[in-house]
Amino acid sequence: MGAGPNETFKVPPPASGPERGRMNRLYDMEPRVMDDDMLKLAVGEQGPREEAGQLAKQEGILFKDVVSLQLDFQNILRIDNLWQFESLQKLQLDNNIIEKIEGLENLTRLVWLDLSFNNIEAIEGLDTLVNLEDLSLFNNRISKIDSLDALVKLQVLSLGNNHIGNMMNIIYLRRFKALRTLSLSGNPVAEDEDYKMFICAYLPDLVYLDFRRLDDHMKELAEMKHQYSIDELKHRENLMQARLEDEQARREELEEHKAAFVEQLNGTFLFDSMYAEDVEGSKLSHLPGVGELLEAYKDKFVIICLNIFEYGLKQQEKRKAELDTFMECVQEAIQENQEQGKLKIAKFEEKHLLSLNAIREESELSSIETKIVEYSEDITELFNVLMTLEMQLVEQLEETINMFERNIIDLVGLFVENVQSLMAQCRDLENHHHEKLLEIAINILEKIVKGEMDEDLPDDVRSLFVDKDTIVNAVGASHDIHLLKIDNREDELVTRVNSWCTHLLDKIHKDEIMRNRKRVKEINQYVDHVQSELDSLECGDLLD
Amino acid sequence: MVQAVLKATSSLDSHRHARMEVLKEKVEEEEAAEREEAAERAERGEKTKRPMEVRREETTMTQEMLRDLERKLSEIEVSVPEKLLAFTKDTIDTSKLPLSYQSNTLKEEHLLQVADNFSRQYSHLCPDRVPLFLHPLNECEVPKFVSTTIRPTLMPYPELYNWDTCAQFISDFLSMVPLPDPLKPPLYLYSSTTVLKYQKGNCFDFSTLLCSMLIGAGYDAYCVNGYGSQDLCHMDLTREVCPLTMKPKESVKEEEKAPPKKYAIKPPRDLTSRFEQEQEMKRQEAIKAEEENRRKQEEARLLEQENAKTDPLHGLRVHSWVLVLSGKREVPESFFIDPFTARSYSTQDDHFLGIESLWNHKNYWVNMQDCWNCCKDLVFDLGDPVRWEYLLLGTDKPFLSLTEEEDEGMNDDDDVENLGKEDEDKSFDMPPSWVEQIEISPEAFETRCPNGKKVIQYKRAKLEKWAPYLNNNGLVCRLTTYEDLELHSYKSMQPEMDRVMEFYETARVDGLIKREETPKTMTEHYQGRPDFLSYRHVNFGPRMKKLALNSAESNPRPMVKITERFFRNPAKPADEDVAERVFLIAEERIQLRYHCRSDHITANKREFLRRTEVDSKGNKIIMTPDMCISFEVEPMEHTKKLLYQYEAMMKLKNEEKLSRHQAWESELEVLEILKLREEEEEAHTLTISIYDTKRNEKSKEYREAMERVLHEEHLRQVEAQLDYLAPFLAQLPPGEKLTRWQAVRLKDECLNDFKQRLIDKANLIQARFEKETQELQKKQQWYQENQVTLTPEDEDLYLSYCSQAMFRIRILEQRLSRHKELAPLKYLALEEKLYKDPRLVELLKVFV
């Protein structure tokens, strides 16, 4: 896409306010609404010409088929009623009195958008226009460049005659890798003596600025001038990029773990979460001897968690391989079946062409009839063959799917069973720890009761050692919380893996049913078509 | 005569066979008569054993009588067919042949006597066998023993070192001449040098030469005198498949089938009746068997047709070939070489029907084994005296496979003859060959075939060979294969004929791979085009009659139908991507077939009628629903619109124009290519290898120039090495060291001498110059005095003398001036050289 700034091709816009007012007055003083009539008129006027135009008039043009629409000098105040224009690629709304960009959400195929000579104050409402390449906002009241993030394909941006005053706006444009043409003249920024240099330096891929080609010499100069700040900027950008990538990688890893249903089991997360809400537990950990106990407990617990994690990943691999093989086999079977079907149809078509011609050329009525009968028999035969093929495939696939279902359910069952046994180990550890803790607690209680307690305990901890019931309850509460956490994690895993399995199987069954229906429909349609061809021939013959 | 005709009939082009049939019948009548006669002769030879009886009676035959007999025999030669006459002593200048050709040495005489003695004993012991082929006459009418005719020679060409290439060379190099009498060995056996000179010979000449070369190359080779099949004797390959047409069998590699996957679908249940299947199979088999039978019969019939009727002289035709025994040169198994065709055969081959005798340069063996089963049962253990009777004892063949007891027993049996022979043979060796060194010039070796051309007829194939550079288009070998016996339609360079052209698609902008043409169609295959076109097929109609010339350029044929196929364009959805489009130009219809979506089995189709019609009011109908019949797998809204269809049709109309234009351009291109090809084929030059020193003019010039430069360089070096001081040093007493004074004198003397020589030379030139000038003046004077009386001839003479004299004077003048210029330089050069002379340098340094 070359540099073709929109403005250059346009009717010279009214230069100043009063003139423009006069012009508007010539058409219509009142702001107009974009209603159906206006759109229809425009579509009709801008539609095909001559012979095609006659046809278009005869048939009417649907808004959703319109590719290009021109609505300039219409005194439009508000963009509206454009939701039907799904295939619109070029939209001209210049020289109106639009104040806000809106109502363009549905025009996702838009490539060319002209909103110049309006009264727009902020860039907005363009988030869905991902295909936009050329955007003109010339002569508006915009003071800040932003909200253009979605326009990844942007090549031409025209923002001349606006109120942009801050040079930092230009740095925002660095994210548009395809941007080659920019116009900013007539803005306060353009009056800065460093304006051109700055843009050259910060947008090195730019080719045209304010309708002039940027020469290489200028670019070099600019680069030298702003080298330090740009290097710094680049460094920051790189850092940002790296961080984003890191985050992305982490997220992907987590997704992977989630798919294996063992996310966050590769560390102390579960253990930590057990103590996160456990007030008593953290209090008790200050008791002498408990610290070491806790450490040992944690280590063992984490090891088991890791076991679960690794096992989960392995199982996920297995399930994936199983699913892949299954899919591959099913695809192969379908492909082969389709090939057979295609072959049959090709053979039929070959014959069909001959027999149609023969019927056409045949002059004797009786032989025509025999041929027609013969031909319709062929059609029935084809139908039967194709249907048989399809039924055969359905049967074969059903069998295969059932086999896969059994296997995957077995796999999931095994996985759940093993995870449960590992979780039971966790529970055992917890029980063991609980007993130990209780023992220590009671010992300490005894000591306190006896007054033999040497060490100082924090007040809130000491408050637990009022009597035996209190301490036993506290330890018990902690234990209960831990068990609950473990149970929850286990339940979550089991539920999720089971639901994954059911969903998968559901989808496979549904897909197969859909496929079958589509194929049957296709066959019927084809046979109907062939039959209707024959019928039309018959009619023609009878008429002859 | 018989042979010549037979050869002619058997070497007919197979597709002309039918036409020649009549001629052949006529020939066969004559042939039959000849054959009877020959058979009669053979019978006489075999049953009445007349020659042997004669010999037995003449056991006391003297040398003179033998000579007499030989003379008689040589008289018989008068009846030798004309064809051979071209190669008899009439054309051979025997006077120039060396002495060994014209007479026998004493040793050779002795050998002949031994041979005669052997022959007598042999005919006595085996009265029912034909006489041995021992000492035929050579080109000088001198009897020579066959073994001495073999002259083992190692050829200087590496190509002739191995038996196969060597045999091939001989078979190419010599033309085959049939034996004068197919039932007898020839009376003459010429030397290999003569045979090579005239490049023709019979089977004995062939095998003698081949044997000489093979023995020279280290093979254990023997000439065989025996009986061969008719094909073998007549060098008739028309029943053999050409070795060049035999393709190596392609090893079909079956791709390993991937093991069935876990979820591979099971094949559909087989619901057909097993019984019915079996019945059907039986029926099919019966049909197959019947067909097979018919086919076999047909094949047999064909084979019979192809094979000639059985030869009435089967087993009686004399042939000579070469036996190579295993052992030497890493030959693993003994085999025969037919020298005519250079083909090797196993010793069990059907073509070889029996062996009388065999010989090499050292000895002669007679086969004592029965040949009832051709050569299949023969054992080639030449050391076994029971199986092979030898002529001379001094053989290097060890007694191989016999155990001692057997040896003794055998010896006892043959005692009588062996003893007698040993007595006289013991001290006797085979004399050296009387034949001159066998030489083949490099030119002859390269030319190979007589006149550089050879044609071999194979079964349904004709192989033509030419010497390199013989044909100016570089053709060296042409194999013509015949599919059948019918006439062929030849592919010509005429346009609009059957033709296939292949292109390098990467080198072409349009990606054309192949263009096939028939008189009515043109098919083009493409690859890698941006519009994904893969195939275009154009049907042409009959050309409109016009007065202008009917060439494709001025009057292209009308196109009836254009079919275009496209590859899948991945950028478009399959149901909008056209797979095939057919322009039925005559019917004004356009058919479109789209690609099939990956999950569908049917594809969209559309057919446009582009006929413009007019409605009842006379208005043009732009578009009606029945002008576009379409089938859509998944009906879409927008394609039903007339506008869409109209636009599509407009586009197609344009594309039709484009396609027609492209087809027309293709036709033009074909014409251009054909023209170019013709031009190219007419004008081509052969690039000659830079190693071909004879033909490569440029390199020859270069080489000669190099040699010249080298020679001059050499001369200069010789001059440089000239010792100027030598004559002066010689005056001094030898061995003494030079004194300074002596050195100075030496130098001065040398310089003075040189100066004197320069002056002398100048004087000499001056003197000559003056002499010339004086003579010229005299002559001029004489001319002026006698000018009136001179004849025009004298005047001419005078004028030419004048011009020559003037030329000489001018040259002398030039030489003198040049000498004057160069003399001081030369003097200085010598002086410097003397100063630098290692013998003087030390002594002269002080003065300088």
Side-chain angles (χ1 to χ4, degrees), chain A residues 51-52 54-55 59-60 322 328-329 332 338 345 349 392 396 399-400 403 407 518-519 522 525 529, chain B residues 261-266 268 596 598-602 605 620 622 631 633 635 641-643 646:
Chain A
E51 290 183 348
Q54 286 182 34
L55 284 175
E59 287 185 310
E322 194 80 11
E328 202 180 316
C329 289
E332 266 171 28
Q338 278 181 2
I345 289 174
E349 263 175 14
Q392 204 177 296
Q396 289 168 332
E399 203 172 326
T400 309
M403 190 160 83
N407 286 340
K518 251 169 81 179
R519 177 57 37 81
E522 192 187 344
Q525 222 164 1
H529 169 75
Chain B
K261 285 178 191 138
K262 192 172 176 185
Y263 293 108
I265 52 158
K266 293 190 180 71
C596 193
S598 62
D599 55 345
H600 283 161
I601 54 171
T602 53
K605 279 189 294 187
K620 194 175 136 199
I622 304 160
F631 164 71
V633 183
K641 289 256 180 183
L642 280 179
L643 183 62
Y646 172 79

Side-chain angles (χ1 to χ4, degrees), chain B residues 155-168:
Chain B
M155 287 290 153
Y157 309 104
E159 286 95 327
L160 301 185
Y161 187 62
N162 288 325
W163 68 265
D164 46 349
T165 44
C166 186
Q168 190 61 53

Side-chain angles (χ1 to χ4, degrees), chain B residues 470-726:
Chain B
L470 183 74
N471 289 330
N472 61 357
N473 57 2
L475 192 64
V476 291
C477 182
R478 177 163 65 198
L479 177 72
T480 320
T481 55
Y482 304 99
E483 282 286 319
D484 42 35
L485 306 171
E486 298 298 311
L487 267 165
H488 295 267
S489 71
Y490 288 98
K491 285 173 186 170
S492 72
M493 295 289 269
Q494 285 298 307
E496 292 163 24
M497 296 302 281
D498 286 335
R499 185 183 303 107
V500 180
M501 289 185 187
E502 284 181 23
F503 299 89
Y504 292 103
E505 82 271 12
T506 43
R508 285 184 66 105
V509 184
D510 61 358
L512 184 64
I513 302 173
K514 197 160 94 173
R515 180 181 288 140
E516 295 163 333
E517 284 176 282
T518 65
K520 288 253 168 209
T521 64
M522 177 165 73
T523 315
E524 292 170 310
H525 298 265
Y526 295 93
Q527 173 99 54
R529 281 171 65 108
D531 61 357
F532 295 92
L533 180 68
S534 67
Y535 169 95
R536 178 184 286 136
H537 180 88
V538 185
N539 289 49
F540 295 103
R543 180 172 273 130
M544 302 283 189
K545 283 215 173 110
K546 265 194 192 175
L547 288 172
L549 279 170
N550 269 0
S551 80
E553 214 159 341
S554 61
N555 181 17
R557 293 168 290 175
M559 294 168 207
V560 178
K561 183 177 162 192
I562 301 177
T563 311
E564 290 176 320
R565 284 185 199 142
F566 296 86
F567 290 121
R568 176 92 180 78
N569 179 357
K572 283 185 186 172
D575 39 10
E576 288 173 29
D577 191 12
V578 178
E580 185 184 68
R581 94 187 157 192
V582 183
F583 298 112
L584 294 156
I585 295 164
E587 296 174 52
E588 298 194 299
R589 275 197 299 169
I590 303 169
Q591 291 171 339
L592 296 183
R593 190 170 55 78
Y594 290 80
H595 279 286
C596 193
R597 244 169 65 173
S598 62
D599 55 345
H600 283 161
I601 54 171
T602 53
N604 288 359
K605 279 189 294 187
R606 213 159 265 152
E607 184 169 347
F608 293 94
L609 276 167
R610 49 171 284 242
R611 211 169 300 148
T612 39
E613 278 170 39
V614 176
D615 68 6
S616 51
K617 288 169 195 163
N619 292 329
K620 194 175 136 199
I621 297 174
I622 304 160
M623 189 82 207
T624 49
D626 49 326
M627 279 168 78
C628 170
I629 305 157
S630 52
F631 164 71
E632 281 174 9
V633 183
E634 282 189 357
M636 278 180 288
E637 195 82 3
H638 71 280
T639 54
K640 284 218 180 69
K641 289 256 180 183
L642 280 179
L643 183 62
Y644 173 87
Q645 294 170 358
Y646 172 79
E647 276 169 354
M649 191 156 92
M650 288 299 127
K651 219 170 121 196
L652 281 171
K653 273 184 181 174
N654 279 333
E655 276 167 2
E656 182 182 323
K657 262 185 217 158
L658 208 70
S659 291
R660 282 164 71 169
H661 182 75
Q662 280 169 354
W664 175 71
E665 275 184 343
S666 293
E667 271 196 284
L668 287 191
E669 196 194 45
V670 168
L671 286 182
E672 205 170 299
I673 289 173
L674 288 180
K675 219 167 96 191
L676 196 72
R677 286 282 303 162
E678 236 164 80
E679 277 169 22
E680 278 175 355
E681 248 165 57
E682 263 160 35
H684 39 62
T685 49
L686 297 178
T687 34
I688 293 161
S689 160
I690 56 163
Y691 303 109
D692 193 336
T693 48
K694 260 192 312 196
R695 292 197 181 75
N696 199 332
E697 290 299 330
K698 219 167 142 189
S699 83
K700 197 174 168 186
E701 265 170 39
Y702 177 72
R703 204 177 60 249
E704 277 167 4
M706 284 295 286
E707 272 167 14
R708 215 165 35 241
V709 166
L710 266 175
H711 184 69
E712 278 166 15
E713 185 70 20
H714 180 72
L715 280 182
R716 211 167 297 138
Q717 267 184 6
V718 167
E719 194 185 353
Q721 279 162 5
L722 252 165
D723 190 359
Y724 297 96
L725 287 174

Side-chain angles (χ1 to χ4, degrees), chain B residues 782-783 786-799:
Chain B
W782 168 82
Y783 175 71
N786 304 317
Q787 200 173 4
V788 198
T789 57
L790 278 177
T791 59
E793 286 87 46
D794 284 338
E795 206 167 319
D796 277 350
L797 221 66
Y798 165 74
L799 284 175

Side-chain angles (χ1 to χ4, degrees), chain B residues 782-819:
Chain B
W782 168 82
Y783 175 71
Q784 271 163 6
E785 281 166 9
N786 304 317
Q787 200 173 4
V788 198
T789 57
L790 278 177
T791 59
E793 286 87 46
D794 284 338
E795 206 167 319
D796 277 350
L797 221 66
Y798 165 74
L799 284 175
S800 70
Y801 167 78
C802 273
S803 71
Q804 273 176 18
M806 285 302 286
F807 173 76
R808 279 198 295 273
I809 290 167
R810 217 172 28 249
I811 293 292
L812 284 169
E813 234 170 7
Q814 274 175 15
R815 281 183 64 188
L816 193 61
S817 67
R818 219 168 80 97
H819 184 70

